Structure formats: structure tokens, C-alpha cells
Amino acid sequence: MNPIKIYAGYSLNQNVRLSSSSGAIFSVIAENIISCGGAVYGVRMSEDCYSAEFMRVTDIDGLVQLRGSKYLQAKVGNTYKQVRDDLLMGNVVLFSGTGCQIYGLKNFLGKEYDGLFCIDVICHGTPSPALWKKYVEYQEMKNGGKLKNINFRCKDDSWMDSGMKEVFDDTSQGKTKQLYISKDKDSYMQMFLRDYCLRPSCYDCVAKKIKMADLTIADFWGIDDVAPEMNDGNGTSLILIRTVNGMMVFESIRSKLKLKEVAYENGVRSNPAEYRSCPRPPQRDTFFGDMETMAFEELEKKYASPIRETFKQLIKRKIKNTIKLVIRIISRGRE
Ligand SMILES: Cc1cc2nc3c(=O)[nH]c(=O)nc-3n(C[C@H](O)[C@H](O)[C@H](O)COP(=O)(O)OP(=O)(O)OC[C@H]3O[C@@H](n4cnc5c(N)ncnc54)[C@H](O)[C@@H]3O)c2cc1C
Ligand code: SF4
């Protein structure tokens, strides 16, 4: 069934938007739930940056950790039980995760609760946490320090052409080192985007067929063909409102967003993960065996050879990025 309403949108809070993966819709909703005394469940990186995990947040400052996509499978632990305890105590709960995690939560709860509100992301798949750990250990060795912060979707270049920002702590020298790696050059992102390292269930995803979230958020890929005036280069979300509950929550945050209503077909045209699982590539059959036995450099050579840009593509990309940067500087100056 198609959603009730579909929008292109983003938060009017520029700082929060720049530290979110797309238009910061998650943060606007989460702040609203917390202001009403509710609890928010979302995903943060663990302290050692080797894994991602769910966390319960009840103060607005705590939302910083939940902001941004973490491109690896998150540990659920006892989160479903914590959510049930909150609901039984009469607390309002926002649960934000992938569609299959919401499917798991609802099956665990076994009944509907008025106080539960669920947001999922359009999700093309989650990479293996074991691959992420191997990548981090390799990066730490190469850069001579411990990874202390990671942003999978840094918008310093632009939202559409994002990269990984990694911060390493060299405790022996008392220094920090910051790296920016374009997603086209980062070997981990390439293994992810080529679909080699996803969970088996991602190639036949239950959440593409059974939608259980009240609201779905995603990047609005293809925005320039649908509503170019909604793209200032800082991140625009696609918002799919699926239930009456979702509509109610959305109405309560509407004044904090810049919005444009769009047709479903236009919204998802460049985002097939909304309705279709990604095909399982032949390399998936050997990838996990190789991951067990190969060093990361070997894995990188075999599965993440860099995308070669032609000179024409390079010039086109540079011109596009420069225009976007100028637009961003001008729009920030106006604020
Ligand atoms: C694994 C993954 C795959 C995705 N695939 C697509 C895609 O194919 N197309 C597309 O348009 N968008 C995809 N997204 C969604 C997109 O990257 C943004 O997260 C989304 O647009 C929300 O952005 P935001 O700015 O509103 O909020 P943000 O602050 O960026 O959203 C963060 C929210 O995402 C949740 N989250 C972050 N990491 C995880 C994780 N590992 N597991 C579960 N939940 C997580 C957090 O709980 C948090 O609530 C994917 C996200 C993830 C995590
Ligand atoms: S693609 Fe489907 S099964 Fe895989 S993590 Fe996303 S929602 Fe879950």
C-alpha cells in the first residue's frame, strides 16, 4: 500500500542538519518526543568505534550520538525488552532503526501500544560488523592511532558526494589526526555499495514487503529532477508517512521543516531500495570466506578496486561541487 503522504523536506536548524545524513528529520522528531517526556531509541557507535549499538536517550543533548547513519549492523541487545518496559510504564517511545528491526520489535511486543511510534530508513542493506572491525583495525594500523570518531556521511564536500570523516587519537604523541575519504575511494564503502558484504536476509528483505513503520525517512536521491528548489546541497530527506499515527507526529513538527509534497513515484524513482531488495552479486559467495582468511589489504585489492573517473567526469564533478559550495556559502551568509 502506498504511503498516505510523501514529502521532500529538511530541518530549518542548519547545524543539526549538517551533522545528519540527509535532512535531519530524525532529529526534529526525536527532539519533539523528548520535549513531551518520551524516550528515544536509536543507533550510536560504541565507545571503541568497533561496533554500532542501540541506545535509549531521554535528553536532547544525548541525541548527538544517534545522529547520522552508521553503515554496519547494529547490536540490538536487550533493547526490545527495554522498549516494552517503557511502554508498560506508560512512556511515549520513539524507536528508530531499519525496517527489519521494527518488524522484530513488533513481533517481540506481540500487540500494538498507543505510545509507540516507529521510524525506519529506506535501507539497501547493512554490512557485516566483522568487516567493519577489520577495516577499523587496518585504518588504525595505517594511521598510527586509535579511531575515536567516525562520520560515515560527512557533508564537507557536499551531501550528494559525501565521504567518511575519521578522527584518530595518537596517545603516544598526544596528537589527533583527521582524514576525509570520498565514498568512491574508501574501500569499506565500496564493498558496501557494491553489495558484497550484506547480511543474507538483505537480498530478500522482509521490510520491502511488510511495512511496519509509522514513518520512513531516506535521502531524496533524484531531487534535482523532482524539486530542484529543495536542494541547496546541505541534505534533503524523502519522508513517507505511512500511518495515521505517523501523520499526527508529522503535523506536530511541520513548522520546524521546509517541505514540498511530491508524488510517490517521483519520490522513490531513484531509490529502489524502498520496494526492491538488491540483487545478490556473485562475489558475495566468496567474500565472507576471504574475509576470514585474507588480510584487509588483500581483500581491498580483490573487492574494492577504485572507481576510475575519466578526465571529463572529473572536471564535471569539480565544477558541480564548486557551484554547490558557492550556493552553500551564500545561503549560510544569509542566515
Ligand atoms: C544501513 C543503512 C542503509 C541505508 N540505505 C539507504 C538507502 O538505500 N537509500 C536511502 O535513501 N537512505 C538509506 N539510508 C538512510 C539514510 O542514510 C539516512 O539515515 C536517512 O535519510 C535519515 O537521515 P536524517 O538526516 O533524517 O537523520 P540521521 O540523523 O542521519 O538518522 C539517524 C537515524 O538512523 C538510525 N540509524 C543509523 N544507523 C543505523 C543502523 N546501523 N541501523 C539501524 N538504524 C540506524 C539511527 O537510529 C538514527 O535514528 C540507510 C541508512 C542506514 C543506517
Ligand atoms: S535491507 Fe532489509 S533485511 Fe537488510 S538490514 Fe535493511 S531492512 Fe533489514
Side-chain angles (χ1 to χ4, degrees), residues 122 220 238 240 263-275:
I122 290 188
F220 201 131
L238 172 68
L240 306 155
Y264 179 71
E265 293 70 22
N266 290 338
V268 303
R269 189 168 299 125
S270 301
N271 217 334
E274 151 70 1
Y275 52 86

Side-chain angles (χ1 to χ4, degrees), residues 94-160:
L94 168 64
F95 181 89
S96 157
T98 58
C100 59
Q101 285 159 345
I102 291 172
Y103 185 85
L105 171 67
K106 295 232 168 158
N107 275 318
F108 173 85
L109 294 174
K111 65 174 203 150
E112 291 294 324
Y113 287 84
D114 286 342
L116 176 64
F117 177 71
C118 295
I119 305 182
D120 67 0
V121 287
I122 290 188
C123 174
H124 104 265
T126 43
S128 146
L131 175 66
W132 170 251
K133 186 159 184 281
K134 205 170 168 111
Y135 166 81
V136 175
E137 285 168 346
Y138 173 65
Q139 288 292 83
E140 289 181 340
M141 188 202 43
K142 233 171 57 172
N143 293 287
K146 178 85 201 72
L147 183 68
K148 67 164 200 178
N149 202 284
I150 169 75
N151 180 352
F152 290 82
R153 289 283 302 274
C154 176
K155 295 176 178 173
D156 284 1
D157 254 9
S158 88
W159 156 59
M160 285 182 162

Side-chain angles (χ1 to χ4, degrees), residues 99-327:
C100 59
Q101 285 159 345
I102 291 172
Y103 185 85
L105 171 67
K106 295 232 168 158
N107 275 318
F108 173 85
L109 294 174
K111 65 174 203 150
E112 291 294 324
Y113 287 84
D114 286 342
L116 176 64
F117 177 71
C118 295
I119 305 182
D120 67 0
V121 287
I122 290 188
C123 174
H124 104 265
T126 43
S128 146
L131 175 66
W132 170 251
K133 186 159 184 281
K134 205 170 168 111
Y135 166 81
V136 175
E137 285 168 346
Y138 173 65
Q139 288 292 83
E140 289 181 340
M141 188 202 43
K142 233 171 57 172
N143 293 287
K146 178 85 201 72
L147 183 68
K148 67 164 200 178
N149 202 284
I150 169 75
N151 180 352
F152 290 82
R153 289 283 302 274
C154 176
K155 295 176 178 173
D156 284 1
D157 254 9
S158 88
W159 156 59
M160 285 182 162
D161 226 347
S162 64
M164 303 261 267
K165 191 180 254 178
E166 303 178 354
V167 182
F168 298 90
D169 230 352
D170 182 351
T171 40
S172 62
Q173 306 268 340
K175 288 188 203 149
T176 58
K177 177 178 176 183
Q178 195 166 287
L179 277 188
Y180 175 87
I181 319 169
S182 147
K183 70 175 180 341
D184 297 335
K185 299 219 166 86
D186 183 77
S187 48
Y188 179 81
M189 283 306 281
Q190 281 306 307
M191 291 176 209
F192 169 40
L193 294 171
R194 295 175 196 186
D195 301 330
Y196 298 160
C197 57
L198 308 181
R199 299 165 53 199
S201 52
C202 298
Y203 305 104
D204 184 21
C205 168
V206 66
K208 308 283 180 269
K209 301 165 209 156
I210 305 168
K211 309 280 186 192
M212 288 198 159
D214 296 293
L215 207 143
T216 298
I217 49 179
D219 290 285
F220 201 131
W221 300 135
I223 185 75
D224 287 340
D225 299 326
V226 180
E229 71 281 12
M230 290 295 292
N231 183 14
D232 62 0
N234 293 325
T236 306
S237 293
L238 172 68
I239 308 159
L240 306 155
I241 302 165
R242 301 195 186 276
T243 66
V244 175
N245 224 0
M247 198 71 216
M248 243 164 52
V249 173
F250 178 76
E251 286 302 331
S252 68
I253 57 151
R254 185 184 258 279
S255 62
K256 296 183 176 147
L257 306 175
K258 180 166 167 74
L259 290 168
K260 177 162 189 201
E261 191 172 348
V262 300
Y264 179 71
E265 293 70 22
N266 290 338
V268 303
R269 189 168 299 125
S270 301
N271 217 334
E274 151 70 1
Y275 52 86
R276 189 175 70 207
S277 301
C278 63
R280 186 184 163 112
Q283 290 88 338
R284 175 66 172 72
D285 296 339
T286 51
F287 185 84
F288 278 83
D290 286 346
M291 194 176 84
E292 297 279 308
T293 56
M294 284 180 173
F296 194 83
E297 293 99 309
E298 295 175 83
L299 213 57
E300 191 174 35
K301 268 193 209 116
K302 185 165 175 186
Y303 294 100
S305 46
I307 298 171
R308 296 208 187 285
E309 263 181 329
T310 62
F311 185 66
K312 208 170 145 191
Q313 283 169 327
L314 176 80
I315 296 294
K316 217 171 141 188
R317 183 167 61 81
K318 295 264 175 210
I319 293 173
K320 238 169 121 181
N321 282 349
T322 310
I323 294 171
K324 281 192 180 141
L325 193 68
V326 171
I327 295 173

